[in-house]
Amino acid sequence: MRLTRRDFAVGMTASIASMSLPRIASAQSQLVVPTYGGLWAKFWEEQLLPGFSAATGIQPQIDVGLGKDFVSKIRAGGGRSPYSVFMGNENIAAMLRAEGFFEPFDLAKVPNAQKVFPQFVNKDAAGIRAIVSPIGLAYRTDLVKTPPTSWHDLWENPEFKGKTGLYQIGNTGAVLFLRLVAELFGKSPDDFDTAFSKIKELLPFTQASWSGEVATALMRGDAIVAPVDWTEIMVLQDKGAPVAIVAPKEGVLAFEQSFNLVATGAEKEAAHAYVNYVIDAKVQQDMAKAFYTSPSNKESVVDEAMATRTPIFGDRMTEIKSYDWNSYVDKSAEIADRWNREMA
């Protein structure tokens, strides 16, 4: 998931906004939370964490990095994790969960979880998918005569042959698309043989390792249609690019940032308070304005201007296909290897 380059208002008092929040945890730190770089870190440092501290009196520290860094640090931590809370795509979180690194939340300590759309609270409180960035079908408005309305159009619209862009298997977007195709054409989201067979029918297609590369392919005309997150297309539209994005009639995919309680992390009470704050209705609204995400809190308000650009909110959140990744964990390495061999 890649965030918008839009500037956003801090919305905090000067005294709160001026608080110093170190990026990397020190040996004396207690509540340590990871987040990504760039505008993720900017949002966390200037808005989210100061607001959290003002509301709770807790002074967290953040560790800025990539998802793979967070995974490595948790696995290398032995009996003590550097983090109290893990944040990462749900399919990645599922692997660490299967390895025993997480424990369930006590939802009595996360009252805002009752306001989260049920599909984003994992069974037995084993993770909360707190930040949701829908993935639809984007296309070049100046190069496509018949805009897509269905995922099936990737196969059925002859305009798209050889001009489709897809994520590379190292990106969660590719795994989401694989499971979607398995569901659409096969017996279940785990019918990978059918999914591989159908996706190979789209060859040749442009592969990208992250959303920015999908955007580049679209702007170059190497691809004229591609599954990509709303955030990326809104950024391009803000720059005047001839692109649009639609929600296919079968539903949309989404990058779901999963928050999990680390079993060997410190400050469990503070960790619960932190996640509770992240899913607060106002915080989710602020994220939507900054990042074009879809609020996971049912009480968040999306204004009219935002609603016309990012329509997946409120009742339409049910259009998001949120998969159970437990069945995928043991297959992930095999699937990645197969993709790299067959999707050249």
Side-chain angles (χ1 to χ4, degrees):
M1 176 180 171
R2 185 164 175 262
L3 298 181
T4 174
R5 298 178 179 86
R6 293 176 67 207
D7 290 331
F8 49 84
V10 172
M12 296 291 167
T13 64
S15 60
I16 294 175
S18 63
M19 293 174 64
S20 174
L21 292 168
R23 286 175 172 264
I24 304 299
S26 68
Q28 291 77 35
S29 66
Q30 294 182 315
L31 175 63
V32 182
V33 296
T35 194
Y36 309 124
L39 290 188
W40 287 86
K42 182 178 175 67
F43 184 85
W44 254 244
E45 291 177 332
E46 295 183 359
Q47 189 162 344
L48 191 145
L49 291 187
F52 171 65
S53 296
T56 65
I58 299 169
Q59 300 288 334
Q61 294 194 14
I62 61 174
D63 187 2
V64 177
L66 300 174
K68 64 180 181 180
D69 301 327
F70 308 151
V71 171
S72 295
K73 289 181 181 180
I74 286 178
R75 284 176 169 160
R80 186 172 181 81
S81 168
Y83 308 126
S84 301
V85 175
F86 171 82
M87 166 183 153
N89 285 320
E90 173 60 22
N91 61 312
I92 304 301
M95 290 193 292
L96 290 174
R97 196 176 297 126
E99 294 171 23
F101 288 106
F102 301 150
E103 64 183 55
F105 286 109
D106 179 351
L107 293 186
K109 299 176 182 178
V110 190
N112 282 329
Q114 297 180 16
K115 305 172 185 177
V116 170
F117 290 95
Q119 72 197 78
F120 303 123
V121 179
N122 290 348
K123 183 180 179 181
D124 299 324
I128 299 174
R129 308 179 194 194
I131 305 175
V132 182
S133 183
I135 298 170
L137 274 177
Y139 64 97
R140 282 282 297 266
T141 57
D142 57 336
L143 299 178
V144 172
K145 295 179 181 178
T146 305
T149 60
S150 164
W151 292 104
H152 289 268
D153 290 335
L154 293 177
W155 287 264
E156 297 173 3
N157 186 339
E159 293 182 72
F160 300 154
K161 184 62 178 178
K163 287 291 186 178
T164 297
L166 295 178
Y167 288 106
Q168 202 274 337
I169 195 62
N171 187 292
T172 294
V175 186
L176 286 164
F177 184 67
L178 189 70
R179 301 198 76 182
L180 169 71
V181 175
E183 181 180 14
L184 291 178
F185 295 98
K187 300 175 182 178
S188 75
D190 291 331
D191 188 349
F192 297 112
D193 287 338
T194 297
F196 271 92
S197 177
K198 291 300 296 184
I199 293 174
K200 282 193 285 187
E201 291 179 10
L202 300 178
L203 287 168
F205 48 75
T206 299
Q207 294 193 51
S209 59
W210 61 300
S211 294
E213 289 185 356
V214 177
T216 298
L218 285 168
M219 296 316 300
R220 287 178 177 172
D222 297 335
I224 61 173
V225 66
V228 68
D229 57 281
W230 243 266
T231 302
E232 196 63 42
I233 299 308
M234 294 303 98
V235 170
L236 290 179
Q237 287 185 352
D238 287 343
K239 295 180 176 181
V243 292
I245 186 168
V246 298
K249 61 185 181 182
E250 300 88 357
V252 298
L253 301 171
F255 290 118
E256 299 170 323
Q257 294 299 308
S258 178
F259 285 66
N260 292 266
L261 187 64
V262 181
T264 57
E267 294 297 311
K268 298 290 178 65
E269 296 292 323
H272 279 82
Y274 170 72
V275 174
N276 188 61
Y277 185 78
V278 170
I279 58 177
D280 174 80
K282 180 61 167 60
V283 173
Q284 287 288 311
Q285 288 172 206
D286 291 342
M287 288 183 177
K289 291 177 181 178
F291 305 143
Y292 297 110
T293 50
S294 295
S296 60
N297 190 310
K298 292 180 285 188
E299 296 184 358
S300 296
V301 178
V302 176
D303 62 37
E304 185 176 351
M306 282 291 296
T308 60
R309 303 195 72 194
T310 55
I312 307 301
F313 66 92
D315 292 341
R316 294 195 66 182
M317 295 295 275
T318 58
E319 295 180 32
I320 296 174
K321 293 183 175 295
S322 296
Y323 295 112
D324 180 353
W325 293 95
N326 293 330
S327 62
Y328 184 79
V329 169
D330 292 338
K331 304 181 183 76
S332 60
E334 176 188 346
I335 293 297
D337 178 68
R338 182 175 178 181
W339 180 284
N340 289 327
R341 284 187 287 105
E342 297 185 19
M343 302 299 178

